[in-house]
Amino acid sequence: MRTKMEPMTLSQKTMLVICLRTVVGQNNEVITFFFDIIELTNTSADSIKNAILTNLSSHRFDNNFLKLNLIAFVSDGASTMLGRVAALYQHFTTAVNDGLRTSKEKSKYLGLQRHLASIEFVTNLGIMYDALCELADLSTSLRNRSHTFTQVNRYIQRRIMVFDSMAENYGPRTKEAIDSCEELSFKSIPLISNKAIPKINPLQFFRSLSYNLGSRLFTTLSSNVSMQGNELKNIYTQLLSDLDVFEPKNWSDQFDIQYGDSAIRTLANVFQVDARSVINGFREFKDLGDGRDTFRPK
């Protein structure tokens, strides 16, 4: 679910646009569509939450259905819904000085305030922001069903290079956070050190991300097999080249019926499956799979 607050109408009430993202059809296609637009009595977080739930309920989306099917909620970034560091800090500060609160409540908010205003938290926040932005971009790219194995592999390799670079050449948010910590001020919040909070080492963190992404790339070897780098690279490149024969857009308008059979035999050997049955299946795929007449006389 995604929401977006729009300017007020003539009635001086803020409008909330609700969109839903779901999977439809036999191909499990992901679509996002407009669901409804509602007026808000006010823009507090509780009011928005209640307005959304009431609207969903009016469309027969009850709590049981939402528990089973609602995966996530995303807002447009409005400070009311997501909050901002400075606003949270001010909220915690106000709570600490609130004479109506108990000493236990004040102690809790004081702890949150100190956590938020710590050098360690701000540093970690900047590092995680840069990392998650890169991973979100990669995730968006990988959702494209038209990508080939080679393209997907390249997207992952490119992100690995980005993380390798970020280990020493910090991303924008990491740099902003580190600079703020050196100045002991972030968003006008005075910063102090809090040794109780583990501080992320950006060099180790981004190299770890790079390594973990690399471990998810295609491989032709078992984990206990040792091989020289160039030899492994050649085998790896050949594997991706062989996989490309599955992409109809790589086929010429006219090709021999045995096109790709050699690559299929190689792949069958790599994955230890029966070559004859795979080749026959591949020929049927070429003939019928993309819905066109591929076997034209040469």
Side-chain angles (χ1 to χ4, degrees):
M1 176 189 296
R2 181 179 179 86
T3 64
K4 182 176 180 63
M5 284 187 285
E6 297 294 347
M8 293 183 178
T9 63
L10 293 176
S11 64
Q12 297 300 304
K13 291 184 178 180
T14 301
M15 307 301 294
L16 185 72
V17 178
I18 302 176
C19 296
L20 297 182
R21 173 172 290 182
T22 188
V23 174
V24 297
Q26 295 181 346
N27 295 327
N28 291 328
E29 180 183 1
V30 178
I31 64 169
T32 302
F33 61 93
F34 169 80
F35 183 72
D36 207 345
I37 182 170
I38 57 178
E39 286 188 345
L40 298 174
T41 55
N42 63 70
T43 56
S44 68
D46 283 340
S47 177
I48 294 173
K49 180 197 72 174
N50 292 332
I52 293 172
L53 292 177
T54 299
N55 179 264
L56 291 174
S57 178
S58 70
H59 291 283
R60 299 185 179 180
F61 291 100
D62 59 23
N63 287 335
N64 290 331
F65 178 87
L66 295 177
K67 288 178 181 179
L68 291 173
N69 298 282
L70 181 60
I71 297 175
F73 165 83
V74 180
S75 78
D76 65 346
S79 58
T80 301
M81 297 302 295
L82 298 182
R84 300 192 183 277
V85 174
L88 280 174
Y89 180 80
Q90 182 58 47
H91 173 70
F92 296 151
T93 301
T94 301
V96 169
N97 298 317
D98 187 351
L100 298 178
R101 295 185 182 275
T102 65
S103 58
K104 184 177 180 180
E105 289 177 323
K106 290 182 179 181
S107 178
K108 178 184 69 174
Y109 284 110
L110 180 61
L112 291 171
Q113 180 202 54
R114 289 176 175 174
H115 189 104
L116 198 66
S118 69
I119 291 174
E120 291 76 11
F121 172 79
V122 171
T123 301
N124 295 348
L125 183 66
I127 293 171
M128 292 300 298
Y129 191 105
D130 283 334
L132 290 173
C133 283
E134 295 296 335
L135 291 173
D137 289 343
L138 176 61
S139 176
T140 300
S141 298
L142 297 183
R143 285 202 296 267
N144 190 327
R145 295 175 181 270
S146 66
H147 288 333
T148 65
F149 286 109
T150 303
Q151 288 175 316
V152 168
N153 180 74
R154 187 58 189 164
Y155 288 142
I156 297 175
Q157 286 183 328
R158 186 181 302 129
R159 208 60 57 178
I160 289 173
M161 290 188 289
V162 170
F163 286 141
D164 281 336
S165 175
M166 282 186 167
E168 297 183 2
N169 302 306
Y170 300 146
R173 297 301 184 183
T174 302
K175 188 176 186 306
E176 179 187 358
I178 291 176
D179 289 345
S180 297
C181 291
E182 290 178 353
E183 298 171 0
L184 297 180
S185 177
F186 179 70
K187 306 293 185 182
S188 301
I189 301 173
L191 300 180
I192 57 173
S193 179
N194 187 340
K195 299 300 182 182
I197 302 175
K199 187 177 180 181
I200 297 175
N201 183 313
L203 178 66
Q204 294 177 350
F205 180 76
F206 285 110
R207 284 187 175 170
S208 177
L209 279 178
S210 172
Y211 173 80
N212 279 281
L213 272 182
S215 68
R216 284 159 174 75
L217 290 172
F218 297 120
T219 181
T220 59
L221 299 177
S222 300
S223 59
N224 61 344
V225 176
S226 177
M227 186 173 289
Q228 295 297 321
N230 288 337
E231 186 179 357
L232 174 59
K233 181 179 179 181
N234 292 337
I235 294 177
Y236 188 79
T237 301
Q238 185 60 50
L239 170 64
L240 295 176
S241 176
D242 291 336
L243 288 169
D244 275 344
V245 302
F246 287 108
E247 292 298 329
K249 64 183 180 182
N250 293 331
W251 306 343
S252 62
D253 289 337
Q254 297 180 350
F255 55 81
D256 189 87
I257 191 170
Q258 295 188 81
Y259 166 78
D261 284 5
S262 177
I264 296 299
R265 290 189 183 93
T266 301
L267 291 171
N269 182 59
V270 170
F271 295 107
Q272 298 183 358
V273 295
D274 180 62
R276 287 306 311 166
S277 61
V278 177
I279 287 174
N280 288 331
F282 179 59
R283 289 172 179 171
E284 183 176 354
F285 171 64
K286 287 185 292 185
D287 191 21
L288 305 173
D290 69 337
R292 62 176 181 167
D293 181 12
T294 54
F295 296 143
R296 300 188 182 96
K298 297 184 66 175

